[in-house]
Amino acid sequence: MILFSGRCAVSDKAKRKTASNIVGALSDFVEIDSHNNVHFSVSTDADLGTVYSVTVPVRCVRPEYQEEDDI
């Protein structure tokens, strides 16, 4: 889960673009399970203000980025 916060409202278009950009960046390193299951939510935190959360279902880390076991 990736969180970012701000003190102002964000348009629906900006939310969709943000989620799309995050999925695109993550796709370089992981296989996304389903782009249809990416969720964007907004909540309010007393200390942080408005918190925007993007949840991306990850199938697995791409082999070239997996941590190798020390054998």
Side-chain angles (χ1 to χ4, degrees):
M1 182 177 286
I2 298 173
L3 301 175
F4 66 97
S5 64
R7 299 282 179 196
C8 57
V10 175
S11 70
D12 285 340
K13 181 179 179 180
K15 291 175 191 175
R16 287 190 301 274
K17 185 165 176 84
T18 298
S20 176
N21 287 351
I22 290 170
V23 168
L26 288 175
S27 293
D28 289 343
F29 304 98
V30 298
E31 291 182 23
I32 305 300
D33 188 41
S34 171
H35 291 264
N36 295 330
N37 288 329
V38 172
H39 298 285
F40 194 103
S41 64
V42 180
S43 61
T44 303
D45 181 277
D47 295 325
L48 298 175
T50 304
V51 177
Y52 302 92
S53 172
V54 179
T55 305
V56 181
V58 173
R59 180 177 296 136
C60 66
V61 175
R62 295 195 181 279
E64 61 269 30
Y65 296 110
Q66 290 180 5
E67 192 171 285
E68 294 182 24
D69 293 334
D70 292 334
I71 300 178

